[in-house]
Amino acid sequence: MVLIHLALTFGLLSLLAVGGGTAVLPEMQSILLHQFDLTHDRFVHIYSLGQLAPGPNMLMVLVIGLQVAGMLGAAVVFLSFFIPSSVLCLFVGRLWIKMGESPWRRAIQNALEPISIGLMVSGVYAVGKAAAVTPFTFGLALVAFIVLVRTKVNPVLVIVAAGIPFAVQGLL
């Protein structure tokens, strides 16, 4: 039963991910907490792992499936999250090419651009709200943001550097 629930949940999230997987992070976080008892802390840890791992960062859904229902859960979540949006992109992409430079295409693009940006900002806010819970973590997030905006440092290095204080704390 949980596998069917995971498949339906992540299949729907896949179709709603306008602007990428980050766009559905707030909804994913809320669903995981209320329906699968995956805490915000756990979600942030999994999200961070997704940022560090090579490849698409939304491969983090594999870890979510693993946490909720083991290896079979990971497989179900992976397939249900990536296949619906891939099939949708295939068909919409073909239609998009057929539309050429029509005014409808431009109107749809103009409408989707701010929606996509808003959804992505919402995703970042949801993860940030769950992660920046103390003055130290808020300051760390602010410093990381400034470093990423003002320099060309690889984000992985910023993530690793930000994790060092917590690693040291864990050793003490």
Side-chain angles (χ1 to χ4, degrees), residues 5 22 27 39 42 63 85 93 103 114 122 136-137 152 158 161 172:
H5 194 192
T22 307
E27 188 62 23
T39 66
R42 199 83 184 138
V63 179
S85 60
S122 173
F136 178 72
T137 55
K152 294 184 179 191
V158 175
L172 298 177

Side-chain angles (χ1 to χ4, degrees), residues 20-36:
T22 307
V24 294
L25 287 177
E27 188 62 23
M28 185 185 298
Q29 189 178 21
S30 176
I31 289 171
L32 289 170
L33 177 65
H34 294 106
Q35 296 179 15
F36 298 103

Side-chain angles (χ1 to χ4, degrees), residues 4-45:
I4 293 170
H5 194 192
L6 279 171
L8 293 174
T9 299
F10 280 86
L12 180 62
L13 288 172
S14 172
L15 294 174
L16 295 175
V18 176
T22 307
V24 294
L25 287 177
E27 188 62 23
M28 185 185 298
Q29 189 178 21
S30 176
I31 289 171
L32 289 170
L33 177 65
H34 294 106
Q35 296 179 15
F36 298 103
D37 293 328
L38 195 76
T39 66
H40 291 312
D41 280 350
R42 199 83 184 138
F43 182 81
V44 169
H45 293 157

Side-chain angles (χ1 to χ4, degrees), residues 136 140 159-172:
F136 178 72
L140 199 57
I159 293 169
V160 170
I164 289 172
F166 297 100
V168 170
Q169 182 186 20
L171 294 174
L172 298 177

